[in-house]
Amino acid sequence: MDNNKLAALLFPEVTGTPSELEDRFPKRQLPQGAMVTRMGPSPTGFIHLGNLYGAFVDERMARLSNGLFYLRIEDTDDKRYVEGAVETVTSALDFFGIKFDEGAGMSGDYGPYYQSQRKDIYQIYVKDLVSKGKAYPCFLTEEDLAEIRKTQEANGETTGIYGKYAEKSRSLSYEEIESNIAAGLPYVVRLRSKGNEVDPDHCLNETGSACERDGGVTYANHDGRIYIHLKDGIRGEVAMPANDQDVVILKANGIPTYHFAHAVDDHLMRTTHVVRGEEWLMSLPIHVELFEALGFDLPVYCHTAVLMKIDDETGNKRKLSKRLDPELSLDYYRSEGYHPLAVKEYLMTILNSDFEEWRAANPDTPLEDFEFSIEKMNSAGALFDLNKLNDVSKDVLLRIPPEELAEFMIDWAKECRPEIVPLLLGDGVSEGAAGADGPAASDSATTSAAPEYLIKILAIGREGKKPRKDFISAGQMFDFISYFYDDCFMIRETVPEEVSDGDASEILRRYLESYDHNDDQSQWFDKIRTIATDLGYAAKPKDYKKNPDEYKGHVGHVSTVIRLAIVGRSQSPDVWEIQQILGEERTRSRIEALLV
Ligand code: GLU
């Protein structure tokens, strides 16, 4: 068959050539060793933790090697297209501080970056493969394919179009193809796989055992089956049976398959490292063969491990699931108010096992200075643990100054809890309580900068040797500090059982009577101790523990009564500090409210 004639028949309108494309997209001018990575999401509008995890790897590799990270939208399957999906991806990653250097929606010399706009480019390569006898049109119908599958399943054979099952389509004559096309029969274009042939072109040595080829792939003959051996950037050496399927490269609608678009795009966009999920590992032999057929150098493949978690019910490891695990969606972190740095820092602990050690030795160094490397990644499955994320977050938030934390909270509230924005921008005094003498609302209440009031609240207990380490996310922080806002204040717990109702009122009455807002912390606590001892409670918990019969309880029980009145809960930072922020009037009125 005259393959050039066939190529002209199939693609009469395609005139471009691969060498023109090589000229149009020349090798990138980057420093030695620079890595070019990319993210290739489908525009489904759902972006999850696995995407972020992969993008973070891409971004780190590119940054640390002075390379480049770009965004390509893999929209060859228009059924999956969701309006606004590209913005969703960029804004989600932007939130986590992951920026692209070029790509969809941005400028760049290697586009178009939407696969749907690259049809003419793909067709040039398909035509070229047909003209070299490396690809052919296939007119098998859905029914034919189903029939073949049935036979293969009945024989216990691998399904697909390969070997003898490909013969019928491979051997069509030019005239048959021409008349099929004239009759308007739909067809796909398939790769003519070299399959399992012991072929000198496959570069096996004389004994047919093994031989290294350019691009780092070794072919080896194991018991009559050809295997490819190559080095995955994360997994090290991988060995898999070579592809023998005549895979579809161009669908009947003229759109390429993922496999083909991947080879063409990653070559022309000069990707050096393809970071993608483990689920693509199985397709690697197809990709190796496609790159070879196209005459392209192979990029370094880096197959990341699937994110797993321990199932709460069974205690077994399982994949994170869209249906079962809200934490898989990136929206979860955003709506809960996790700080992007915390999520990134946590991901780094999963990505490189020596990160935690590095962080302990360099508590104040930016994450970006850590020498991330793909070789240090674990290929055995990355275990995601929300509790661990929360612990990491506590440390990360402690390193963020209260001013910044306050702004972060306000931004979060604007996006996720607009109803509390006025509270966060105000001074905590109830909207309806005109004239209350809380601290004056700062000017910033009308601007977006955080007001002093919120900054002071967030600053409590964060200094000193044992700083408060309980902030996890903006949502949880707001719950923790909500008692500073009169509109949210409520008493959530009851007084300790050691304290009778009568004593509780008496404690509050005496507290109010002796209250002096100007007392320092120790004067203040001395007064509580006096109230405690006067009413028959031990001045120190240990005295009570030693002689429980001599006392009703201890000073801690007494101060809990006061804490509940001011804060509404038994756990909180230092009450004296809280009162200083609430102001005298509001402190007194919270006690008074319980005495009527
Ligand atoms: N479009 C593919 C996906 O969404 C990208 C895989 C790749 O990075 O090559 O899974």
Side-chain angles (χ1 to χ4, degrees):
M1 155 121 56
D2 180 342
N3 289 319
N4 282 321
K5 204 169 142 201
L6 176 61
L9 171 70
L10 299 183
F11 300 101
E13 69 294 351
V14 175
T15 53
T17 64
S19 72
E20 283 166 19
L21 292 170
E22 291 295 327
D23 293 344
R24 197 167 127 200
F25 304 109
K27 286 219 162 85
R28 292 176 185 268
Q29 297 299 314
L30 291 169
Q32 182 77 15
M35 297 181 191
V36 177
T37 57
R38 88 304 194 260
M39 185 184 187
S42 318
T44 58
F46 180 67
I47 164 140
H48 57 75
L49 196 65
N51 301 128
L52 177 66
Y53 172 82
F56 193 27
V57 175
D58 280 316
E59 188 259 3
R60 285 294 81 209
M61 289 166 74
R63 294 287 162 268
L64 292 169
S65 66
N66 294 315
L68 177 149
F69 176 42
Y70 70 87
L71 174 66
R72 178 173 71 229
I73 300 300
E74 309 215 322
D75 55 353
T76 51
D77 183 357
D78 53 5
K79 279 192 249 38
R80 300 178 68 197
Y81 187 81
V82 171
E83 202 61 50
V86 177
E87 291 68 35
T88 308
V89 173
T90 28
S91 108
L93 293 182
D94 192 56
F95 177 74
F96 288 100
I98 294 181
K99 305 231 186 299
F100 295 102
D101 299 297
E102 63 179 50
M106 289 160 264
S107 59
D109 294 335
Y110 288 78
Y113 296 94
Y114 290 83
Q115 288 184 332
S116 58
Q117 295 169 16
R118 299 174 63 79
K119 205 170 153 179
D120 51 340
I121 294 179
Y122 303 126
Q123 296 205 348
I124 289 172
Y125 283 105
V126 180
K127 181 173 185 179
D128 188 58
L129 288 183
V130 171
S131 74
K132 290 175 172 150
K134 294 180 176 183
Y136 64 90
C138 169
F139 295 86
L140 292 176
T141 61
E142 287 299 325
E143 293 72 37
D144 295 334
L145 293 169
E147 195 59 37
I148 291 174
R149 171 176 276 271
K150 227 166 92 190
T151 311
Q152 290 168 332
E153 281 170 353
N155 295 344
E157 294 170 322
T158 309
T159 55
I161 302 303
Y162 60 94
K164 65 179 184 203
Y165 298 103
E167 263 331 297
K168 187 176 158 204
S169 301
R170 281 185 177 209
S171 59
L172 287 178
S173 67
Y174 180 85
E175 289 69 30
E176 284 170 308
I177 295 171
E178 193 178 33
S179 84
N180 281 350
I181 290 176
L185 297 187
Y187 67 90
V188 299
V189 179
R190 290 184 185 272
L191 172 75
R192 189 185 296 270
S193 169
K194 286 185 179 173
N196 215 7
E197 299 157 30
V198 178
D199 175 349
D201 283 355
H202 255 100
C203 198
L204 293 167
N205 63 18
E206 295 83 54
T207 61
S209 60
C211 179
E212 175 131 13
R213 290 182 61 100
D214 293 347
V217 184
T218 304
Y219 289 85
N221 186 349
H222 298 306
D223 300 330
R225 186 81 174 89
I226 295 180
Y227 273 67
I228 52 166
H229 291 244
L230 68 157
K231 202 165 169 284
D232 182 287
I234 295 172
R235 286 154 199 267
E237 165 105 0
V238 292
M240 304 172 87
N243 174 56
D244 67 351
Q245 298 266 350
D246 283 5
V247 288
V248 174
I249 56 176
L250 202 66
K251 295 185 266 187
N253 57 6
I255 304 279
T257 52
Y258 163 76
H259 305 306
F260 193 70
H262 150 55
V264 170
D265 293 346
D266 280 316
H267 171 68
L268 289 182
M269 296 180 184
R270 309 292 172 182
T271 309
T272 63
H273 290 70
V274 170
V275 179
R276 63 183 182 185
E278 188 174 357
E279 67 276 15
W280 292 108
L281 190 57
M282 265 169 48
S283 310
L284 188 56
I286 298 175
H287 301 154
V288 168
E289 189 169 10
L290 279 174
F291 272 81
E292 189 181 293
L294 288 159
F296 300 159
D297 287 343
L298 213 58
V300 179
Y301 284 96
C302 307
H303 290 94
T304 59
V306 171
L307 282 179
M308 314 279 277
K309 74 177 270 184
I310 303 284
D311 186 272
D312 291 338
E313 273 167 32
T314 64
N316 295 331
K317 262 195 208 174
R318 64 162 173 79
K319 266 190 187 174
L320 277 174
S321 124
K322 192 170 166 180
R323 194 172 52 84
L324 300 174
D325 307 309
E327 71 267 32
L328 183 60
S329 162
L330 287 190
D331 285 346
Y332 174 80
Y333 303 94
R334 214 147 155 177
S335 61
E336 292 287 314
Y338 279 94
H339 197 287
L341 265 184
V343 177
K344 270 170 68 173
E345 182 112 356
Y346 173 61
L347 284 181
M348 196 53 101
T349 66
I350 307 185
L351 289 171
N352 273 188
S353 54
D354 61 340
F355 175 71
E356 285 182 84
E357 209 180 306
W358 176 86
R359 174 51 81 208
N362 305 278
D364 300 316
T365 313
L367 179 68
E368 287 64 34
D369 290 1
F370 171 68
E371 277 189 36
F372 164 80
S373 106
I374 45 170
E375 285 83 21
K376 290 189 274 178
M377 279 175 72
N378 180 357
S379 59
L383 199 59
F384 180 82
D385 176 357
L386 205 52
N387 292 325
K388 180 77 199 271
L389 164 64
N390 289 345
D391 284 345
V392 168
S393 193
K394 287 174 188 170
D395 285 326
V396 169
L397 293 193
L398 197 56
R399 293 200 296 270
I400 299 178
E403 293 76 11
E404 245 176 74
L405 213 48
E407 275 178 40
F408 169 69
M409 249 186 117
I410 292 170
D411 287 344
W412 162 79
K414 281 182 181 161
E415 191 182 328
C416 304
R417 296 275 302 274
E419 74 284 4
I420 64 168
V421 173
L423 291 183
L424 295 179
L425 291 178
D427 57 9
V429 178
S430 171
E431 295 270 287
D437 91 337
S442 71
D443 290 343
S444 55
T446 50
T447 70
S448 69
E452 271 311 298
Y453 187 63
L454 179 58
I455 295 171
K456 274 198 217 153
I457 293 170
L458 295 178
I460 294 184
R462 288 163 58 91
E463 300 294 323
K465 274 210 193 95
K466 276 191 94 192
R468 159 182 201 184
K469 224 199 222 185
D470 56 356
F471 285 160
I472 294 174
S473 63
Q476 173 253 17
M477 279 157 64
F478 180 69
D479 181 56
F480 271 27
I481 65 168
S482 59
Y483 52 81
F484 279 103
Y485 298 91
D486 290 348
D487 287 337
C488 300
F489 172 71
M490 58 182 197
I491 300 193
R492 298 191 186 186
E493 292 167 51
T494 50
V495 296
E497 58 184 21
E498 288 78 359
V499 184
S500 68
D501 287 352
D503 274 3
S505 303
E506 189 55 22
I507 290 166
L508 293 179
R509 203 187 56 72
R510 291 182 185 215
Y511 183 71
L512 191 61
E513 206 174 79
S514 63
Y515 188 78
D516 182 342
H517 197 64
N518 297 321
D519 282 346
D520 65 19
Q521 204 162 3
S522 72
Q523 289 166 325
W524 165 80
F525 198 69
D526 283 345
K527 286 184 178 170
I528 296 182
R529 207 176 265 128
T530 306
I531 297 172
T533 48
D534 285 355
L535 293 177
Y537 294 81
K540 292 186 180 139
K542 68 170 197 274
D543 297 342
Y544 173 60
K545 277 194 195 111
K546 249 191 248 157
N547 298 306
D549 298 338
E550 275 180 32
Y551 305 99
K552 295 178 182 167
H554 61 73
V555 66
H557 300 127
V558 172
S559 60
T560 297
V561 173
I562 296 162
R563 189 184 297 270
L564 282 174
I566 310 279
V567 182
R569 51 192 101 180
S570 57
Q571 298 293 322
S572 79
D574 186 79
V575 174
W576 180 83
E577 283 193 58
I578 294 173
Q579 291 173 160
Q580 294 304 306
I581 296 175
L582 283 173
E584 176 164 9
E585 180 70 26
R586 289 161 76 211
T587 302
R588 285 185 178 279
S589 70
R590 287 191 182 185
I591 308 273
E592 277 159 5
L594 296 175
L595 290 174
V596 284

